[in-house]
Short mmCIF file of all heavy atoms in Angstrom, two decimals:
data_model
loop_
_atom_site.label_atom_id
_atom_site.label_comp_id
_atom_site.label_asym_id
_atom_site.label_seq_id
_atom_site.Cartn_x
_atom_site.Cartn_y
_atom_site.Cartn_z
N THR L 73 8.78 11.48 43.25
CA THR L 73 9.44 11.33 41.96
C THR L 73 9.13 12.47 40.99
O THR L 73 9.47 12.41 39.84
CB THR L 73 8.97 10.05 41.24
OG1 THR L 73 7.56 9.98 41.28
CG2 THR L 73 9.51 8.78 42.03
N GLY L 74 8.40 13.50 41.51
CA GLY L 74 8.15 14.67 40.69
C GLY L 74 7.06 14.44 39.65
O GLY L 74 6.99 15.22 38.72
N ASP L 80 6.62 24.40 35.40
CA ASP L 80 7.90 24.89 35.73
C ASP L 80 8.31 26.19 34.97
O ASP L 80 9.48 26.44 34.90
CB ASP L 80 8.90 23.79 35.44
CG ASP L 80 8.97 23.45 33.95
OD1 ASP L 80 8.15 23.92 33.19
OD2 ASP L 80 9.79 22.54 33.65
N ARG L 172 17.89 19.19 44.59
CA ARG L 172 16.84 19.21 43.56
C ARG L 172 15.48 18.85 44.20
O ARG L 172 15.40 17.77 44.83
CB ARG L 172 17.12 18.31 42.37
CG ARG L 172 18.25 18.80 41.64
CD ARG L 172 18.52 17.98 40.32
NE ARG L 172 17.73 16.88 40.13
CZ ARG L 172 17.14 16.63 38.97
NH1 ARG L 172 17.16 17.52 38.05
NH2 ARG L 172 16.39 15.47 38.75
N ALA X 123 1.55 10.21 26.20
CA ALA X 123 2.72 9.60 26.72
C ALA X 123 3.36 8.63 25.68
O ALA X 123 4.56 8.57 25.48
CB ALA X 123 2.41 8.80 27.96
N THR X 126 4.81 10.56 22.67
CA THR X 126 6.03 11.36 23.04
C THR X 126 7.27 10.42 22.89
O THR X 126 8.33 10.86 22.41
CB THR X 126 5.88 11.92 24.44
OG1 THR X 126 4.69 12.60 24.51
CG2 THR X 126 7.08 12.73 24.80
N LYS X 127 7.04 9.17 23.40
CA LYS X 127 8.17 8.26 23.27
C LYS X 127 8.47 7.74 21.93
O LYS X 127 9.61 7.60 21.52
CB LYS X 127 7.94 7.06 24.16
CG LYS X 127 8.16 7.42 25.60
CD LYS X 127 8.08 6.18 26.49
CE LYS X 127 8.22 6.56 27.96
NZ LYS X 127 7.30 5.86 28.80
N GLN X 282 4.41 3.57 36.75
CA GLN X 282 4.02 4.81 36.09
C GLN X 282 2.50 4.91 36.00
O GLN X 282 1.92 6.02 36.12
CB GLN X 282 4.59 4.76 34.61
CG GLN X 282 4.73 6.14 33.98
CD GLN X 282 5.21 6.08 32.49
OE1 GLN X 282 5.84 5.10 32.11
NE2 GLN X 282 4.80 7.05 31.80
N VAL X 390 0.02 18.68 27.65
CA VAL X 390 1.25 19.31 27.57
C VAL X 390 2.22 18.89 28.72
O VAL X 390 3.36 18.63 28.57
CB VAL X 390 1.15 20.89 27.43
CG1 VAL X 390 2.40 21.54 27.52
CG2 VAL X 390 0.39 21.18 26.20
N TYR X 391 1.60 18.79 29.89
CA TYR X 391 2.35 18.45 31.13
C TYR X 391 2.76 17.00 30.96
O TYR X 391 3.91 16.64 31.41
CB TYR X 391 1.57 18.62 32.32
CG TYR X 391 1.51 20.09 32.68
CD1 TYR X 391 0.42 20.86 32.33
CD2 TYR X 391 2.55 20.69 33.36
CE1 TYR X 391 0.31 22.18 32.69
CE2 TYR X 391 2.42 22.02 33.71
CZ TYR X 391 1.36 22.75 33.32
OH TYR X 391 1.32 24.10 33.62
N VAL X 392 1.83 16.13 30.39
CA VAL X 392 2.21 14.71 30.32
C VAL X 392 3.39 14.61 29.31
O VAL X 392 4.39 13.81 29.65
CB VAL X 392 1.05 13.90 29.79
CG1 VAL X 392 1.41 12.52 29.39
CG2 VAL X 392 -0.09 13.84 30.84
N ILE X 393 3.42 15.33 28.25
CA ILE X 393 4.47 15.21 27.30
C ILE X 393 5.75 15.64 27.97
O ILE X 393 6.79 15.04 27.86
CB ILE X 393 4.19 16.14 26.05
CG1 ILE X 393 3.08 15.45 25.28
CG2 ILE X 393 5.40 16.34 25.19
CD1 ILE X 393 2.51 16.27 24.15
N LYS X 394 5.68 16.78 28.65
CA LYS X 394 6.82 17.31 29.35
C LYS X 394 7.42 16.30 30.35
O LYS X 394 8.60 16.06 30.35
CB LYS X 394 6.40 18.56 30.09
CG LYS X 394 7.50 19.21 31.00
CD LYS X 394 8.56 19.90 30.12
CE LYS X 394 9.63 20.49 31.02
NZ LYS X 394 10.87 20.77 30.23
N SER X 395 6.51 15.63 31.07
CA SER X 395 7.08 14.74 32.06
C SER X 395 7.56 13.38 31.43
O SER X 395 8.48 12.74 31.87
CB SER X 395 6.05 14.41 33.20
OG SER X 395 4.92 13.81 32.68
N THR X 396 6.90 13.00 30.26
CA THR X 396 7.37 11.85 29.53
C THR X 396 8.74 12.10 28.92
O THR X 396 9.56 11.18 28.87
CB THR X 396 6.36 11.42 28.47
OG1 THR X 396 5.06 11.43 29.09
CG2 THR X 396 6.70 10.10 27.87
N LEU X 397 8.95 13.35 28.45
CA LEU X 397 10.28 13.68 27.94
C LEU X 397 11.44 13.49 28.91
O LEU X 397 12.56 13.32 28.59
CB LEU X 397 10.32 15.09 27.34
CG LEU X 397 9.50 15.27 26.02
CD1 LEU X 397 9.36 16.81 25.71
CD2 LEU X 397 10.18 14.63 24.88
N GLY X 398 11.03 13.67 30.21
CA GLY X 398 12.02 13.48 31.26
C GLY X 398 12.68 14.80 31.64
O GLY X 398 12.59 15.78 30.99
N PRO X 399 13.39 14.83 32.82
CA PRO X 399 14.04 16.01 33.30
C PRO X 399 15.20 16.53 32.39
O PRO X 399 15.57 17.67 32.56
CB PRO X 399 14.57 15.61 34.66
CG PRO X 399 14.67 14.12 34.62
CD PRO X 399 13.63 13.60 33.66
N ASP X 400 15.72 15.68 31.52
CA ASP X 400 16.89 16.10 30.78
C ASP X 400 16.64 16.72 29.41
O ASP X 400 17.57 16.92 28.66
CB ASP X 400 17.94 14.88 30.63
CG ASP X 400 18.23 14.35 32.01
OD1 ASP X 400 18.36 15.08 32.98
OD2 ASP X 400 18.29 13.06 32.08
N THR X 401 15.34 16.88 29.13
CA THR X 401 15.00 17.33 27.79
C THR X 401 15.36 18.81 27.56
O THR X 401 15.48 19.61 28.54
CB THR X 401 13.50 17.08 27.47
OG1 THR X 401 13.24 17.57 26.17
CG2 THR X 401 12.73 17.90 28.47
N ASP X 402 15.53 19.10 26.33
CA ASP X 402 15.80 20.55 25.97
C ASP X 402 14.52 21.27 25.56
O ASP X 402 14.61 22.45 25.17
CB ASP X 402 16.86 20.69 24.85
CG ASP X 402 16.40 19.91 23.55
OD1 ASP X 402 15.60 19.01 23.68
OD2 ASP X 402 16.85 20.28 22.45
N VAL X 403 13.42 20.56 25.55
CA VAL X 403 12.08 21.17 25.11
C VAL X 403 11.42 21.76 26.35
O VAL X 403 11.27 21.09 27.33
CB VAL X 403 11.23 20.05 24.47
CG1 VAL X 403 9.99 20.73 24.02
CG2 VAL X 403 11.93 19.40 23.40
N SER X 404 11.14 23.01 26.24
CA SER X 404 10.41 23.70 27.38
C SER X 404 8.98 23.58 27.22
O SER X 404 8.40 23.37 26.18
CB SER X 404 10.85 25.16 27.48
OG SER X 404 10.29 25.88 26.38
N LEU X 405 8.20 23.87 28.38
CA LEU X 405 6.77 23.89 28.31
C LEU X 405 6.22 24.89 27.39
O LEU X 405 5.28 24.61 26.65
CB LEU X 405 6.22 24.19 29.73
CG LEU X 405 5.93 23.11 30.67
CD1 LEU X 405 5.53 23.61 32.01
CD2 LEU X 405 4.90 22.17 30.14
N ILE X 408 6.12 23.54 23.98
CA ILE X 408 5.15 22.60 23.68
C ILE X 408 3.75 23.38 23.44
O ILE X 408 3.05 23.01 22.48
CB ILE X 408 4.97 21.57 24.87
CG1 ILE X 408 6.32 20.99 25.22
CG2 ILE X 408 4.02 20.48 24.42
CD1 ILE X 408 6.27 19.99 26.32
#
Side-chain angles (χ1 to χ4, degrees):
Chain L
T73 52
D80 60 358
R172 291 187 357 129
Chain X
T126 304
K127 283 188 182 137
Q282 206 185 332
V390 173
Y391 286 96
V392 169
I393 289 171
K394 177 72 178 162
S395 63
T396 310
L397 287 170
D400 304 323
T401 180
D402 58 335
V403 182
S404 72
L405 268 176
I408 309 180

